[in-house]
Amino acid sequence: DMKVTQMPRYLIKRMGENVLLECGQDMSHETMYWYRQDPGLGLQLIYISYDVDSNSEGDIPKGYRVSRKKREHFSLILDSAKTNQTSVYFCASSSVKGWSDYTFGSGTRLLVI
Amino acid sequence: KTQVEQSPQSLVVRQGENCVLQCNYSVTPDNHLRWFKQDTGKGLVSLTVLVDQKDKTSNGRYSATLDKDAKHSTLHITATLLDDTATYICVVGDRGSALGRLHFGAGTQLIVIP
């Protein structure tokens, strides 16, 4: 069953701590994405990765960085987390030109206190 | 500025009734439009994708239309079930962006009551 897996599902961190969100996919998709979803807003693109070590900033990259060392794995890192980074984070993947085959993970709910 | 507007913001219907969700957008150029269903605390599940200038799709009890001239889409849900309770999100794909950017609406929260 093709899917995008996110870990952990829930996470509580204190302000200033480092945070690592992980995402994996088993579809050999080249492109992977990180979004955040806040109440009343649409999903916002944080970073996009076209392949291993080929990453580009999205609309709201400030405060985040990413790592993609294997095609099937894409990590989102928050160095020194802030309370305004409390959100639900979604990872997605798609084939290179597959506009219609985006697949989303179930999300990671992050609370920064 | 929000480029994808969905209405209504929330909607309550009785099981068995039909409902229509609206999506208006200003994204240019517009490559495709997708509707997603998001159950509470879950990820996004694609319901349908519309591509043509004037397009129609059908997926079981879900049917959708797209008019690119009007930059408008509708999602129809027929004979609603309790399990249809969810947030429905409209997404427009921008073929003009090398990033392959998607523009997300904030969603319509549908509640189906017995």
Side-chain angles (χ1 to χ4, degrees), chain A residues 31-33 35 45 48 50 56 59 94-100 102, chain B residues 31-32 91-104:
Chain A
T31 307
M32 297 186 74
Y33 313 79
Y35 292 90
L45 179 64
I48 184 172
Y50 298 108
S56 291
D59 298 319
S94 68
S95 56
V96 177
K97 295 181 180 180
W99 287 86
S100 62
Y102 279 72
Chain B
N31 172 262
H32 71 275
V91 184
V92 181
D94 168 12
R95 67 170 179 245
S97 168
L99 288 182
R101 189 181 301 275
L102 299 181
H103 300 264
F104 290 78

Side-chain angles (χ1 to χ4, degrees), chain A:
Chain A
D1 191 21
M2 301 181 294
K3 61 182 180 181
V4 174
T5 303
Q6 292 186 234
M7 295 292 290
R9 290 295 311 277
Y10 303 92
L11 189 59
I12 301 175
K13 287 287 190 179
R14 294 189 181 279
M15 195 168 54
E17 291 184 334
N18 297 332
V19 179
L20 173 64
L21 305 184
E22 311 223 50
C23 176
Q25 49 98 0
D26 59 4
M27 297 165 281
S28 298
H29 282 173
E30 293 188 5
T31 307
M32 297 186 74
Y33 313 79
W34 276 107
Y35 292 90
R36 64 177 281 176
Q37 184 180 36
D38 299 298
L41 300 177
L43 272 73
Q44 300 175 84
L45 179 64
I46 305 172
Y47 267 95
I48 184 172
S49 174
Y50 298 108
D51 211 329
V52 173
D53 287 329
S54 178
N55 307 317
S56 291
E57 296 180 347
D59 298 319
I60 52 165
K62 187 177 180 181
Y64 304 95
R65 61 183 175 93
V66 293
S67 175
R68 188 146 179 226
K69 299 301 182 184
K70 294 182 179 180
R71 177 172 286 187
E72 64 271 18
H73 194 249
F74 191 34
S75 301
L76 181 68
I77 301 119
L78 288 67
D79 294 317
S80 187
K82 300 175 180 55
T83 55
N84 61 9
Q85 292 178 306
T86 292
S87 187
V88 181
Y89 291 86
F90 285 98
C91 174
S93 74
S94 68
S95 56
V96 177
K97 295 181 180 180
W99 287 86
S100 62
D101 69 351
Y102 279 72
T103 302
F104 282 85
S106 297
T108 294
R109 291 181 176 273
L110 172 65
L111 173 63
V112 182
I113 58 175

